Structure formats: C-alpha cells, structure tokens
Amino acid sequence: MTDKLTLVLGGTGKTGRRVAARLQERGISVRIGARSASPSFDWTDEATWPAVLENVERIYVSYQPDLAVPGAVETIRKFSGLAVRSGIKRLVLLSGRGEDEAEAAERELQASGADWTIIRASWFFENFSEDFLAGAVSSGSVFLPPDEITEPFIGSDDIADVAVAALLDEGHVGNIYELTGPRLMTFAEAVAEIAAAANRRIAYQSVPVADFAAQLQADGLPDDYVELIRYLFTSVLDGRNSQLTSDVERVLGRRPRDFADYARETAATGVWSIAA
C-alpha cells in the first residue's frame, strides 16, 4: 500500500464524508479538503491549494457550492492544472447531470493531463434530510417549484461507492458515469413516501420559481445562493434528467438503492420528527 494520500475535497459534505469513510475502511490514508480541516482548503483562496496537494496521488473533486456558479470553470482549470504539476495522476470529479456549465468544467479537468473519471448526478436523496429541505420536511409543509417533472433521485451512498471504485480501479479512467436511482419520481411522490415512512402528514405544494426565490431571499439566504437555486429549478429541473441509466450497476455490479429504503431508514433516525 502506498504511503501517499488520497485527497477528498468537500470531505465534510454529503458525498465527500462518505467517500473518505470508505477509503479509510480500506486502510487508505485520507486528507480532508475543507475550510475546517488542517491544512485548510478553500476553493476561493488559491493560497490554500498547494499545502493540501502535498504527498497526494489522487483526488475526489467535489466543488462547492456547484459547478454552475460563476467562476467555477476557471477554478477547476486552475486547480486541476496545479494538481497535475504537483505530480497527481488521478482526478475523479463529481459533476452535475444536465448542467451545461458543469460540462464546461469537466472539459477543463479532462484537458489537465490527469487520468480522469467524471461522475454526474442530479438530486440526492439526502437533500431531504441533511440540509436544504430537512427543515421543511420536519415542519410538515414542503414548497418547491417542480410540479410533474420526474427526477431519478440518487443516494449519496451509491455516489460514494462509485467514486471510490473510480479512485482505486484503473478500469474507470476516461469514463463518464451518469448515476441515477432505480426509478423516476416527482417531488410530490418523494415527499409522500417520506410521509408514509415517518407516519405523519407532510404536504407538498408546487409554487412559481419567482415566489420560491423571493421566499429564500426573505429568509436571508445570500443572493448568489438564491440565483443558483433559481438556475437549477428553471434550467435543470425541466425534465432533461428524466431518464434512468444503468451506470451504478455497471460500476458496482448491483442495483442502486431505492428511495423507499432511504425514506424508511432515515425516518427511523427521527430526523423528520415534528419540529419543535
């Protein structure tokens, strides 16, 4: 086993912490790339980049907050170039499925000279439980723009399993994987399954994007975050991702986890109990 490190950027996030845990379970030395880690890593501060790249041989690249935000493409170009100049051979990028800006960032990473794998995904199961919508679900009222659009919701555990395979197995170099769950669901259907699993009433209502964005602003969210959400709900959640793939099974040799299993297991933790 090499004494070099695997760097997990976004190592405290939904997929990153799962990737790090799986690598550590295999006895692989991991460095967490995050502002709270030591050495600290910040996508917006290039001065923090060299230290986290020392003694690293491969990187899981999860860009925050999203590859669609202004400046992300240039940042990925600079970072991946620096990584290759630092002697790092393999980059695995978590990308956004159906996002034109994300594909531009992918091309920059592909041109870096590294051995690369691209993992594309859209809406994570855990958006309902670990951030963003967790409070709304607990409150019993979920308001979102999507109406009849279906999404191939995917679990972060499946994404992490694919990422680890791509980091460790040379057979995935040069591949682009589009990860989906095993079925298409509307947001209303997803909320209904959560309600059934939690054994409580949770209402879902579709609202205009403009009204939703205005409420986010009223709640005090930063303007750039509000614009990102507006973009995702107008340009990505338009049905373009309403197709399933077999890429999880192709990589892992098993079907992806079903949303119902996630809802049942997550409900048992009490995270969706009625908010105080």
Side-chain angles (χ1 to χ4, degrees), residues 3 6 19 49 59 61 70 91 110 112 124 132 140 145 150 152 172 209 229 232 244 250 255 263:
D3 61 354
T6 297
V19 170
W49 298 359
I59 309 175
V61 183
L91 303 176
Q110 291 167 323
S112 68
F124 301 173
F132 190 41
T150 58
H172 301 293
V209 173
I229 295 298
L232 293 174
L244 301 177
R250 175 184 169 193
R255 284 174 58 79

Side-chain angles (χ1 to χ4, degrees), residues 18-274:
R18 290 171 166 87
V19 170
R22 283 159 171 74
L23 292 170
Q24 290 165 338
E25 288 168 0
R26 295 179 180 223
I28 295 169
S29 298
V30 170
R31 173 176 289 152
I32 300 298
R35 291 177 182 175
S36 59
S38 182
S40 177
F41 174 82
D42 187 340
W43 280 112
T44 66
D45 184 358
E46 294 181 35
T48 67
W49 298 359
V52 299
L53 295 175
E54 291 181 6
N55 198 38
V56 167
E57 65 176 345
R58 55 200 167 206
I59 309 175
Y60 175 66
V61 183
S62 177
Y63 184 85
Q64 299 298 322
D66 192 277
L67 288 172
V69 302
V73 174
E74 177 67 8
T75 300
I76 290 297
R77 183 188 67 78
K78 290 181 178 179
F79 180 83
S80 58
L82 178 61
V84 170
R85 293 194 299 274
S86 300
I88 293 159
K89 302 299 185 183
R90 185 168 303 177
L91 303 176
V92 175
L93 175 67
L94 176 64
S95 185
R97 188 175 184 229
E99 296 181 22
D100 294 339
E101 294 84 352
E103 292 184 17
E106 292 172 13
R107 290 191 290 271
E108 295 293 347
L109 184 130
Q110 291 167 323
S112 68
D115 293 338
W116 56 265
T117 307
I118 307 295
I119 298 172
R120 294 175 180 165
S122 52
W123 194 276
F124 301 173
F125 293 171
E126 291 76 15
N127 288 342
F128 292 100
S129 56
E130 294 186 10
D131 60 12
F132 190 41
L133 292 177
V137 174
S138 295
S139 76
S141 297
V142 178
F143 299 89
L144 284 174
D147 190 3
E148 296 303 317
I149 297 299
T150 58
E151 274 291 302
F153 298 101
I154 178 77
S156 294
D157 288 312
D158 285 333
I159 296 171
D161 285 341
V162 171
V164 169
L167 285 165
L168 301 182
D169 186 345
E170 292 184 1
H172 301 293
V173 170
N175 288 337
I176 298 175
Y177 297 120
E178 296 206 354
L179 306 187
T180 72
R183 58 186 169 123
L184 296 171
M185 304 172 65
T186 66
F187 281 79
E189 290 169 341
V191 171
E193 290 209 12
I194 290 172
N199 193 30
R200 54 171 299 208
R201 183 181 182 279
I202 304 172
Y204 178 88
Q205 182 176 340
S206 179
V207 298
V209 173
D211 293 350
F212 184 65
Q215 184 59 55
L216 294 179
Q217 288 177 317
D219 291 340
L221 274 70
D223 289 344
D224 56 350
Y225 181 84
V226 174
E227 286 308 308
L228 171 61
I229 295 298
R230 190 197 303 272
Y231 162 77
L232 293 174
F233 279 116
T234 55
S235 300
V236 179
L237 287 167
D238 60 358
R240 70 182 63 188
N241 289 328
S242 295
Q243 305 90 29
L244 301 177
T245 76
S246 60
D247 282 356
V248 170
E249 189 166 6
R250 175 184 169 193
V251 176
L252 302 178
R254 61 165 178 79
R255 284 174 58 79
R257 188 186 189 200
D258 191 79
F259 189 88
D261 296 327
Y262 154 78
R264 182 180 61 255
E265 294 170 14
T266 304
T269 69
V271 69
W272 292 318
S273 298
I274 296 175

